[in-house]
Structure formats: C-alpha cells, structure tokens
C-alpha cells in the first residue's frame, strides 16, 4: 500500500508528488462541511478530516457515521476539486489510548469512517498520556493494543499513522515490536525540533516506507516563511532523495501575535509550501 490519501480520478493535484493539506480542526472547521470551501480559498489540495471530539463521551462526536453526511462531505470535496487526505483522531492528543477500555470500538469507528470516505490513512497521536519517554511503563500495553489495531487496519486495507515523542531509531524499534505493515509513523516536524534533534537525519533514518504522512509545521510562534530553525528547502531535498511522496499537512506554525487569524496563518503556510514543493 502506498502512503497517499484518496486518489481522485480527475484534478491537477492528483499528479503532484507532494500535496498540501490542512487540518479541519485547526482551521476551526472540525467535521464541518465549510472546511472544504475554506481550504479551497486557502489554496490547499485537501483536508485532513477529524473524527470529532471525545472528552467524556464513549465515542467520537462523529457525524460521518451517517451516510447523509458522508455523501455531503464527498460532494463538497468534489465541488472544490479537493481530496480528503486522511482521517484524524486528534482527541487522542489529550486522551489516553492505553487507558481507554473501548479503544477497539473507537478505532473501528475510525476505520469504518475511512472506508466510507475512501481514505487510506488515519492519524493517531499517542499524546501526552502516551509519551513513552515519560511513561516507559505503558509500553507493553501500548504495543499489545497497537498489534490489535494493526490487525484491524490490515484486514480493512488501511494504514494507521501514529505520532510519538520518540527519536527515529526508537520509532523503528517500536514499529518492529508491533510488527504490522498497517502501522506506520505519522511524522510531525514539531517533535524533533522541540527535542533538539536533527530533523533531516530523523527523516533519513525512518526512511520512505515507514512514514505515511507528515504534519509539515512547527510549534506556534511564527508562520513557516519566518521559521529560522526549519529549512524547508532542505526538507524537500531530503524527501526527494528518499523518494518519498504524499501529503504534507499544515497543522500549526501560527503567528503568536495573531493566532486566531486563520486566513493569514494557514494561507501563508500553504502558499509557502506550494512555492517550495510544487513549483
């Protein structure tokens, strides 16, 4: 299986090696149909659609169990010539994947949504409570659960991309321990940058086949053109050398002085990435 999201039969973006998407929850359109019109206005190629909030609920606040909403979302994506890059479970940034008793039910909900939306990749952040650097004791249970999820994903023909706090070599060890071709790394630039690691070497160590998708932004401070600790042209050179292709998803890198200005922050970041990766 490749590491791209849904492939559209028509549209210019289908032929691009690198596609630029945006997270619907970060543009304040979490599971809202308006995410597609706004993404089109921001000049993006697609949307990473979230499963909805979780909080104290048993299941995600997921509209896409309803066929009516599924068809509306697909129709809106087609209307603006956009793709659905991936399905995200961003609620696990704060929730504990290891301590949720109904994790199978939650992952099944996500996988069924992926199948309905014709999407091949899902995003599963292990989050603060799944930080193996700070909580090494949870590793056996985490691996056990990810083996189960890997079997579920493999049977469905989809990929679950996990985001961890580990360095690249440790992520390889984790993937080998899980032992599933349906579990890959969803790489987030912010993590190695915040940890002071060499992001370019981290990408090379992980390699083409282990990275299913990339959150192509840093922590909030400045927009990407003004980020001095991230050389995006060098990133492209490394990814080119690796022969990687797929979705670069804009998650953060908002101007700290205007964090709520969605059009400025995400429009600037998308235009910058397109200038480097698509021109």
């Amino acid at each position: 299986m490749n590491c791209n999201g849904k492939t559209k039969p028509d549209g210019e973006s289908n032929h691009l090696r690198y596609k630029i998407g945006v997270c619907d929850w970060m543009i304040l359109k979490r599971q809202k149909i308006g995410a597609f019109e706004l993404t089109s206005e921001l000049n993006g190629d697609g949307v990473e659609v979230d499963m909805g909030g979780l909080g104290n609920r048993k299941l995600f606040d997921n509209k896409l169990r309803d066929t009516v909403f599924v068809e509306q979302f697909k129709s809106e994506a087609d209307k603006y010539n956009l793709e659905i890059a991936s399905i995200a479970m961003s609620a696990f940034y704060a929730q504990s994947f290891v301590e949720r008793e109904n994790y199978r039910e939650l992952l099944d909900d996500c996988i069924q949504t992926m199948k309905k939306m014709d999407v091949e990749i899902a995003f599963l952040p292990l989050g603060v409570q799944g930080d193996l650097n700070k909580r090494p004791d949870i590793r056996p249970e985490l691996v056990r659960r990810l083996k189960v999820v890997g079997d579920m994903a493999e049977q469905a023909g989809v990929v679950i991309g996990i985001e961890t706090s580990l360095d690249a070599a440790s992520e390889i060890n984790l993937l080998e321990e899980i032992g599933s071709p349906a579990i890959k790394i969803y790489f987030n630039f912010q993590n190695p940058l915040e940890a002071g690691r060499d992001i370019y070497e981290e990408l090379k160590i992980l390699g083409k086949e282990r990275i299913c998708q990339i959150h192509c932004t840093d922590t909030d401070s400045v927009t990407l053109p003004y980020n001095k600790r991230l050389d995006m042209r060098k990133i492209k050179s490394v990814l080119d050398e690796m022969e990687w292709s797929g979705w670069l998803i804009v998650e953060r890198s908002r101007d700290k002085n205007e964090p709520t200005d969605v059009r400025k922050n995400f429009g600037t970041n998308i235009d910058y990435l397109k200038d480097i990766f698509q021109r």
Side-chain angles (χ1 to χ4, degrees), residues 11 50 54 58 90 108 110 113 130 134 143 156 190-191 196 206-207 210-211 227 229 233 247 250-251 258 264:
D50 195 58
L54 195 48
K58 183 179 180 183
S90 71
D108 183 64
C110 178
T113 300
K134 295 179 180 177
V143 169
Q190 179 179 336
N191 292 330
L206 276 172
R210 297 187 185 94
I211 300 171
N227 190 317
R229 68 176 183 175
R233 295 189 186 279
W247 283 93
V250 178
E251 185 183 24
E258 299 178 90
K264 174 193 170 181

Side-chain angles (χ1 to χ4, degrees), residues 45-73:
D45 300 319
V47 181
E48 181 170 27
V49 175
D50 195 58
M51 284 290 292
L54 195 48
N56 294 322
R57 303 177 187 87
K58 183 179 180 183
L59 293 174
F60 297 109
D61 186 18
N62 178 22
K63 296 177 184 174
L64 297 173
R65 294 187 204 102
D66 187 329
T67 304
V68 172
F69 281 105
V70 169
E71 293 307 317
Q72 286 178 353
F73 273 57

Side-chain angles (χ1 to χ4, degrees), residues 167-177 185 205-207 210:
D167 61 59
S170 299
E171 286 189 325
I172 291 173
N173 289 336
L174 179 63
L175 291 178
E176 288 176 349
E177 195 173 346
I185 297 300
I205 290 167
L206 276 172
R210 297 187 185 94

Side-chain angles (χ1 to χ4, degrees), residues 212-273:
C212 65
Q213 208 158 97
I214 295 174
H215 276 144
C216 187
T217 46
D218 195 359
T219 186
D220 290 331
S221 178
V222 294
T223 52
L224 288 174
Y226 304 99
N227 190 317
K228 301 299 184 186
R229 68 176 183 175
L230 181 57
D231 185 338
M232 200 63 75
R233 295 189 186 279
K234 187 172 179 180
I235 290 284
K236 182 179 184 297
S237 178
V238 169
L239 293 176
D240 284 349
E241 185 180 331
M242 290 166 55
E243 298 184 342
W244 189 88
S245 65
W247 283 93
L248 305 172
I249 307 291
V250 178
E251 185 183 24
R252 292 190 176 274
S253 288
R254 295 175 295 188
D255 184 339
K256 65 181 179 182
N257 296 315
E258 299 178 90
T260 60
D261 191 336
V262 168
R263 292 178 185 277
K264 174 193 170 181
N265 289 310
F266 291 93
T268 298
N269 289 337
I270 288 171
D271 284 346
Y272 180 69
L273 292 175

Side-chain angles (χ1 to χ4, degrees), residues 22-262:
V22 65
C23 305
D24 69 352
W25 69 96
M26 292 304 297
I27 60 170
L28 310 181
K29 298 287 184 184
R30 191 184 211 179
Q31 275 217 352
K32 293 182 179 176
I33 202 162
F36 297 101
E37 182 177 8
L38 179 53
T39 298
S40 178
E41 292 171 2
L42 294 171
N43 198 31
D45 300 319
V47 181
E48 181 170 27
V49 175
D50 195 58
M51 284 290 292
L54 195 48
N56 294 322
R57 303 177 187 87
K58 183 179 180 183
L59 293 174
F60 297 109
D61 186 18
N62 178 22
K63 296 177 184 174
L64 297 173
R65 294 187 204 102
D66 187 329
T67 304
V68 172
F69 281 105
V70 169
E71 293 307 317
Q72 286 178 353
F73 273 57
K74 285 182 172 181
S75 176
E76 199 74 358
D78 288 341
K79 176 180 175 181
Y80 291 102
N81 195 29
L82 295 172
E83 299 179 54
I84 300 171
S86 46
I87 301 294
M89 294 173 276
S90 71
F92 278 110
Y93 271 126
Q95 296 279 330
S96 173
F97 174 71
V98 167
E99 291 158 340
R100 268 273 178 173
E101 290 184 9
N102 68 330
Y103 77 96
R104 287 186 188 86
E105 193 175 3
L106 290 166
L107 266 293
D108 183 64
D109 190 13
C110 178
I111 289 170
Q112 294 308 316
T113 300
M114 294 169 76
K115 299 296 284 182
K116 289 175 184 175
M117 301 294 283
D118 303 318
V119 175
E120 293 181 358
I121 293 173
F123 168 53
L124 173 60
L126 298 183
V128 176
Q129 297 185 63
D131 187 335
L132 288 174
N133 285 318
K134 295 179 180 177
R135 300 186 66 192
D137 57 296
I138 68 171
R139 186 181 183 109
E141 178 62 14
L142 176 65
V143 169
R144 186 190 72 78
R145 290 184 175 214
L146 287 174
K147 283 177 180 284
V148 172
V149 170
D151 289 343
M152 292 167 64
E154 191 172 358
Q155 187 172 356
V158 299
V159 167
I160 306 296
I162 59 171
E163 179 192 322
T164 87
S165 63
L166 301 172
D167 61 59
S170 299
E171 286 189 325
I172 291 173
N173 289 336
L174 179 63
L175 291 178
E176 288 176 349
E177 195 173 346
I178 296 163
S180 170
I183 304 291
K184 295 183 184 288
I185 297 300
Y186 198 123
F187 197 83
N188 187 331
F189 288 170
Q190 179 179 336
N191 292 330
L193 290 170
E194 286 288 278
R197 298 193 290 264
D198 185 327
I199 187 172
Y200 316 104
E201 286 302 312
E202 293 279 288
L203 286 166
K204 292 176 187 176
I205 290 167
L206 276 172
K208 172 185 175 181
E209 299 302 327
R210 297 187 185 94
I211 300 171
C212 65
Q213 208 158 97
I214 295 174
H215 276 144
C216 187
T217 46
D218 195 359
T219 186
D220 290 331
S221 178
V222 294
T223 52
L224 288 174
Y226 304 99
N227 190 317
K228 301 299 184 186
R229 68 176 183 175
L230 181 57
D231 185 338
M232 200 63 75
R233 295 189 186 279
K234 187 172 179 180
I235 290 284
K236 182 179 184 297
S237 178
V238 169
L239 293 176
D240 284 349
E241 185 180 331
M242 290 166 55
E243 298 184 342
W244 189 88
S245 65
W247 283 93
L248 305 172
I249 307 291
V250 178
E251 185 183 24
R252 292 190 176 274
S253 288
R254 295 175 295 188
D255 184 339
K256 65 181 179 182
N257 296 315
E258 299 178 90
T260 60
D261 191 336
V262 168

